[in-house]
């Protein structure tokens, strides 16, 4: 990514060359921020390995790597709340991904639109949003 | 954070109780996303340890932990481009921080507003933004 620092707008490098050199961490992962593409809302942060990143780029449907389950996690596979990739971005040193997405319904397993519904206000961490859908409804019916 | 899942809007927990149980990773760090509070632009992702988080909450000026330098990194200490904390948010499992900030000038060491200036378009990773300030100007004069 270093080469892009001095590139002009619209200039850049082939994806294959960039992806071959991405600095995955010791667990083979990069953090990926999902942001609703039109409103700018930050929905969640999850992790991608090389395989989930390549799948996401090829299919346009966001696939993460679940650290707790130790396997690919096609967002929405249980809940039906799919993330469609609108644009993939990388930061200046290539070690964080920003996924600009179209999120169907809630991104959060609690049924809330965004996972970031806890805000520090006046010494307390308070809830800022209600679930759009009850979690039982998200995960109960398949 | 589990207790907040079923809380109503405005309900919550004392900050001390939440911060005592944050799931810092094996290196003692949590990822922190910085977002410009009014435009929604995602500016950067960096890391915080307990000390930098507490300092940020107390002072209202964002302090990270620099993994490369192995020490506290008061954003803007070299460049002058300070981040003022507007609101701290935590995600559903408390393992990611969202900093809603007022960013003075560029957030990126390249002089660009955001670190996420590399976009995948038509098989190439292209630059989307120009520096607001030349890096030499940001770091040259002290």
């Amino acid at each position: 990514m270093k080469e892009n620092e001095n590139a002009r707008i619209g200039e850049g490098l082939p994806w294959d060359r960039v992806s071959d050199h991405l600095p995955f961490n010791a667990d083979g992962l990069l953090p990926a921020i999902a942001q609703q593409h039109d409103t700018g809302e930050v929905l969640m942060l999850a992790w991608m390995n090389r395989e989930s990143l390549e799948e996401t780029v090829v299919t346009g449907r966001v696939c993460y790597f679940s650290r707790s389950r130790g396997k690919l996690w096609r967002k929405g596979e249980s809940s039906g709340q799919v993330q469609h990739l609108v644009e993939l971005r990388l930061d200046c040193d290539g070690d964080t991904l920003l996924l600009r997405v179209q999120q169907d319904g809630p991104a959060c397993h609690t049924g809330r639109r965004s996972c970031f519904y806890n805000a520090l206000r006046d010494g307390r961490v308070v809830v800022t949003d209600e679930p759009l859908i009850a979690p039982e409804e998200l995960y109960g019916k398949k």
Side-chain angles (χ1 to χ4, degrees), chain A:
Chain A
M1 299 307 315
K2 197 80 186 163
E3 288 177 57
N4 265 11
E5 286 194 12
N6 299 312
R8 292 194 187 155
I9 290 178
E11 290 181 350
L13 301 164
W15 167 244
D16 290 352
R17 194 162 137 213
V18 172
S19 70
D20 280 353
H21 294 89
L22 288 175
F24 291 97
N25 70 14
D27 296 321
L29 303 173
L30 288 178
I33 303 162
Q35 180 185 36
Q36 174 64 28
H37 72 101
D38 46 4
T39 65
E41 189 176 17
V42 176
L43 300 169
M44 58 183 284
L45 180 137
W47 296 79
M48 287 187 161
N49 65 359
R50 183 176 295 284
E51 189 181 353
S52 63
L53 175 58
E54 288 296 342
E55 178 174 314
T56 299
V57 168
V58 169
T59 66
R61 185 178 154 176
V62 177
C63 175
Y64 297 105
F65 182 83
S66 168
R67 294 178 302 169
S68 56
R69 296 192 294 267
K71 62 174 191 173
L72 294 185
W73 164 29
R74 294 174 181 95
K75 177 70 181 163
E77 64 193 354
S78 309
S79 66
Q81 313 301 314
V82 171
Q83 283 178 352
H84 305 277
L85 183 68
V86 175
E87 186 176 68
L88 176 72
R89 290 194 175 220
L90 297 98
D91 73 350
C92 48
D93 46 13
D95 68 359
T96 303
L97 306 167
L98 176 63
L99 312 170
R100 296 179 62 89
V101 302
Q102 172 58 42
Q103 168 72 57
D104 296 342
C108 185
H109 78 285
T110 66
R112 293 177 177 87
R113 176 71 178 163
S114 162
C115 293
F116 294 96
Y117 61 81
N118 298 292
L120 175 58
R121 291 180 185 165
D122 299 325
R124 292 183 71 81
V125 178
V126 299
V127 168
T128 60
D129 292 286
E130 292 199 3
L132 304 176
I133 306 175
E136 310 81 67
E137 207 176 325
L138 272 181
Y139 297 98
K141 60 174 187 198
K142 288 191 71 168

